[in-house]
Amino acid sequence: MPARFIFITGGVVSSLGKGLASASLGALLQARGYKVRLRKLDPYLNVDPGTMNPTQHGEVFVTDDGAETDLDLGHYGRFTGVSARRSDSVSSGQIYSTLLTKERRGDYLGGTVQVIPHVTDLIKEFVLKDTDGEDFVLCEIGGTVGDIEGQPFLEAIRQLGWELGKQRVMYVHLTLVPYIAAAKELKTKPTQHSVKELRMIGIQPDILLCRADREIPLSERRKIALFCNIREEAVIQALDVASIYEVPKRYSEQGFDAQVLKMFGLEAKGKPDLKKWDEILERVQNPQGEVTVALVGKYMGMGDAYKSLTEALDHAGIANRAKVHVKWVDAEGFEKENVQKALADVDAILVSGGFGERGVSGKIAAIQYARENKKPYLGICFGMQLACIEFARNALGMKEAGSTEFTPYEEKNGKGPLVGLMTEWLRGNVLETRKEGSDLGGTMRLGAYECDIAKGSLAEKIYGATKISERHRHRYEVNLGYRDAFEGKGMVFSGLSPAGNLPEIVEMKDHPWFVGVQFHPELKSRPFAPHPLFASFVKAALTKSASKKKAA
Ligand code: GLN
């Protein structure tokens, strides 16, 4: 049987958890023994989210094959363990870019190029591509029904419904059922309108997920079913939960997966096997210790901007049976003077990835504090580059050490800048090159690269391996020309690219736990397989916290 397609749309408002609903359904179908793939179709006009500020659209998730994608692909991977690929993410920008290249090449010669059928054909091609061997392909449509940019996507999935038929296509729609305090009632009208909007473009949802902050009475669910032309059992409640790891279980209790199978004429025998989810939940709900990690960054309180990072910290908490609290520390307006105040009470410090000069001095101050006060430190990407800059300036006396990303460099010692733009590097056997004026979109060192770890290093102990692969997303690199000076004073380059010219991991000798990595380990962490770096970092934080308590 070729793959079946489930399209997930959203209505009324955004931020209802469409990504998590899709990821959860994927997990539930897996738990019933099916093979799944998850995809995201984003209607915005950027070719990919790589050039977008994380405050606009959350973090940029990077795949092994080097695509910069929507953060929902992170949820999919964490919930199903299936790594997303470039072919799992598309945007209007990408579709139009392909379309216009084809038009210029003459592919449509003689014809008028139109949204229907040309744009919709490309969308359908994306949905169907690379799906051999899958039982279910879940496609989430970004945005909410009614958005102008979303129309061609809805039209394309409507067409697919006809072309592939009921046995292979179904539609799930997620809406909000708000509680109106003055009336003391849950209101179904927004849901009715949202479904009406969908039906106007020819899509009749098969299942409705109704997000609400309290139980929706049967009478109201019946009303929704009647007005929206849906079977009563297919109106599924999506109630607020304390932990995202509860979502698959709650959806299953409401019959979501059973209904999906029923719609496809598949037998839904018994219940899905959710043992591993129960174990995760048990650990999340019964922590035996707690730690506070300072996350020093620029987009404060914006959970979505650091989604994979906070998730990876949670996974590390699961691994250590501890609750990990995050203290958001704004790197801006944060200088040496208030370092002590902001960081004295935390058990560990993390400086995340980032771009540009804003917040740099605050991040460097935090790193110096972590190094000198022996607090566990994890520096990710920019956090590793800045750790090297901090060390050069304050431990090696290289006062002018910096990155050409935010300080102009003047050649003095013939070695080049400490952190500089990379113009050439190897990807496997292929040489990639960039110039100062290259396009900004999609031109960083992106995706999975191998790294060789030095024997006897902390990194080797953490990974339990000397060859690893991690995902990258950066334009600058630390200059290995300074290696001797660094290692002479205790900062060791313990991970290098296979060719030996690009530093991937640094660590500090006389420090309980100080590691900087040029890659983004958070992108590969999963609740069922917490990332070893994060697990070890949180373990070090727990040790720090225990010794603090003892001293007190
Ligand atoms: N801005 C740095 C670079 O481009 C680091 C990027 C990052 O932290 N992801 O190299």
Side-chain angles (χ1 to χ4, degrees):
M1 170 87 186
R4 300 168 185 88
F5 294 86
I6 303 175
F7 296 105
I8 299 119
T9 55
V12 185
V13 291
S14 57
S15 301
L16 290 179
K18 206 158 19 109
L20 278 177
S22 309
S24 299
L25 179 58
L28 290 172
L29 291 170
Q30 260 186 342
R32 287 188 180 267
Y34 293 103
K35 189 154 180 266
V36 298
R37 246 220 107 77
L38 285 101
R39 298 199 150 157
K40 180 83 194 272
L41 294 82
D42 272 307
Y44 51 70
L45 286 166
N46 303 61
V47 171
D48 63 42
T51 52
M52 268 191 259
N53 186 316
T55 53
Q56 299 246 329
H57 211 73
E59 80 171 2
V60 176
F61 190 82
V62 181
T63 59
D64 273 336
D65 54 359
E68 296 177 279
T69 71
D70 188 81
L71 88 171
D72 279 321
L73 272 81
H75 288 311
Y76 305 161
R78 287 187 285 271
F79 272 49
T80 62
V82 179
S83 288
R85 299 190 286 239
R86 184 178 288 276
S87 56
D88 294 325
S89 165
V90 82
S91 66
S92 291
Q94 230 174 85
I95 296 283
Y96 280 100
S97 168
T98 310
L99 180 94
L100 296 177
T101 309
K102 280 161 82 84
E103 189 276 334
R104 290 292 82 185
R105 209 167 49 204
D107 288 12
Y108 306 114
L109 219 50
T112 309
V113 182
Q114 295 181 296
V115 172
I116 307 173
H118 302 102
V119 171
T120 46
D121 277 355
L122 286 178
I123 296 173
K124 288 192 288 184
E125 214 175 278
F126 163 81
V127 167
L128 298 171
K129 196 175 60 189
D130 203 8
T131 54
D132 286 352
E134 307 292 348
D135 294 317
F136 291 98
V137 178
L138 282 63
C139 297
E140 177 189 346
I141 317 293
T144 36
V145 167
D147 296 346
I148 289 184
E149 305 96 289
Q151 299 286 349
F153 288 90
L154 297 177
E155 169 59 18
I157 65 172
R158 180 195 70 77
Q159 292 175 16
L160 278 171
W162 275 109
E163 287 163 20
L164 304 179
K166 279 261 165 228
Q167 295 74 32
R168 286 187 62 201
V169 171
M170 73 171 287
Y171 303 98
V172 175
H173 189 55
L174 172 66
T175 73
L176 176 70
V177 178
Y179 180 75
I180 305 298
K184 295 198 179 58
E185 268 179 47
L186 283 163
K187 289 293 182 189
T188 66
K189 192 65 93 188
T191 297
Q192 295 177 35
H193 276 293
S194 185
V195 172
K196 192 164 114 192
E197 189 89 27
L198 261 183
R199 292 174 68 197
M200 250 156 38
I201 43 184
I203 296 175
Q204 165 66 55
D206 299 293
I207 292 184
L208 267 188
L209 303 177
C210 299
R211 185 78 193 265
D213 67 354
R214 66 203 65 207
E215 187 80 21
I216 307 171
L218 184 62
S219 58
E220 296 309 293
R221 277 182 273 151
R222 282 200 173 130
K223 190 164 151 192
I224 293 173
L226 182 66
F227 279 86
C228 298
N229 198 29
I230 285 174
R231 280 191 293 115
E232 201 180 297
E233 342 52 282
V235 178
I236 309 273
Q237 304 188 72
L239 303 180
D240 295 353
V241 288
S243 160
I244 57 167
Y245 303 112
E246 264 180 65
V247 178
K249 213 175 152 74
R250 299 287 164 257
Y251 268 134
S252 189
E253 282 164 6
Q254 298 290 329
F256 188 14
D257 48 322
Q259 284 303 319
V260 167
L261 296 182
K262 193 169 160 195
M263 299 274 173
F264 282 117
L266 298 163
E267 217 183 322
K269 266 191 269 159
K271 290 197 165 40
D273 177 8
L274 296 177
K275 210 163 81 233
K276 65 176 188 177
W277 287 95
D278 289 336
E279 280 165 21
I280 294 284
L281 211 51
E282 191 274 324
R283 280 176 171 253
V284 169
Q285 288 166 342
N286 304 294
Q288 285 162 9
E290 55 182 332
V291 284
T292 303
V293 174
L295 202 160
V296 186
K298 273 198 305 197
Y299 315 112
M300 289 299 99
M302 296 258 332
D304 275 0
Y306 297 111
K307 195 74 209 163
S308 294
L309 209 54
T310 50
E311 289 294 313
L313 286 169
D314 281 348
H315 305 161
I318 291 171
N320 287 287
R321 274 198 176 273
K323 169 84 195 140
V324 180
H325 303 282
V326 172
K327 176 172 180 178
W328 300 91
V329 178
D330 191 346
E332 271 189 284
F334 170 76
E335 301 295 337
K336 260 192 154 153
E337 302 71 59
N338 45 22
V339 161
Q340 170 77 21
K341 201 163 141 248
L343 299 177
D345 62 342
V346 304
D347 304 304
I349 296 165
L350 193 156
V351 172
S352 63
F355 294 84
E357 184 167 20
R358 210 157 51 82
V360 159
S361 59
K363 289 180 183 178
I364 290 184
I367 296 168
Q368 183 175 9
Y369 180 85
R371 181 172 61 83
E372 293 178 348
N373 293 279
K374 308 243 182 278
K375 290 229 177 181
Y377 173 75
L378 175 58
I380 293 180
C381 205
F382 209 27
M384 158 171 157
Q385 295 171 0
L386 295 177
C388 291
I389 292 171
E390 188 281 316
F391 190 73
R393 287 184 188 171
N394 301 322
L396 303 179
M398 293 167 53
K399 289 289 166 240
E400 275 150 42
S403 166
T404 51
E405 182 174 3
F406 51 84
T407 31
Y409 175 72
E410 221 184 289
E411 191 59 70
K412 285 203 183 121
N413 56 10
K415 284 189 180 168
L418 177 62
V419 183
L421 186 74
M422 200 182 12
T423 51
E424 290 191 349
W425 67 92
L426 278 177
R427 180 174 189 114
N429 292 323
V430 182
L431 185 70
E432 301 233 7
T433 52
R434 301 283 188 273
K435 286 203 272 306
E436 196 71 57
S438 296
D439 277 356
L440 288 183
T443 59
M444 286 186 259
R445 177 145 85 105
L446 285 168
Y449 281 84
E450 285 193 334
C451 158
D452 290 332
I453 296 181
K455 285 219 168 66
S457 61
L458 173 63
E460 189 206 5
K461 209 166 111 202
I462 292 171
Y463 276 95
T466 52
K467 200 160 205 51
I468 57 162
S469 168
E470 293 279 8
R471 293 183 204 159
H472 288 246
R473 180 173 185 255
H474 56 105
R475 209 165 259 120
Y476 298 83
E477 296 279 348
V478 177
N479 183 344
L480 263 185
Y482 295 93
R483 184 174 189 171
D484 289 345
F486 269 66
E487 298 200 336
K489 286 266 185 187
M491 177 102 133
V492 179
F493 289 82
S494 56
L496 296 179
S497 60
N501 60 336
L502 301 175
E504 300 274 1
I505 308 177
V506 294
E507 56 187 69
M508 193 81 65
K509 267 197 209 140
D510 300 316
H511 193 288
W513 208 101
F514 189 106
V515 178
V517 292
Q518 187 55 74
F519 43 80
H520 287 274
E522 72 274 21
L523 301 176
K524 286 177 72 168
S525 186
R526 285 167 182 171
F528 310 108
H531 194 287
L533 264 175
F534 282 89
S536 170
F537 175 56
V538 164
K539 192 166 173 208
L542 279 163
T543 313
K544 184 83 189 166
S545 151
S547 66
K548 195 170 70 187
K549 280 198 192 109
K550 220 162 146 194

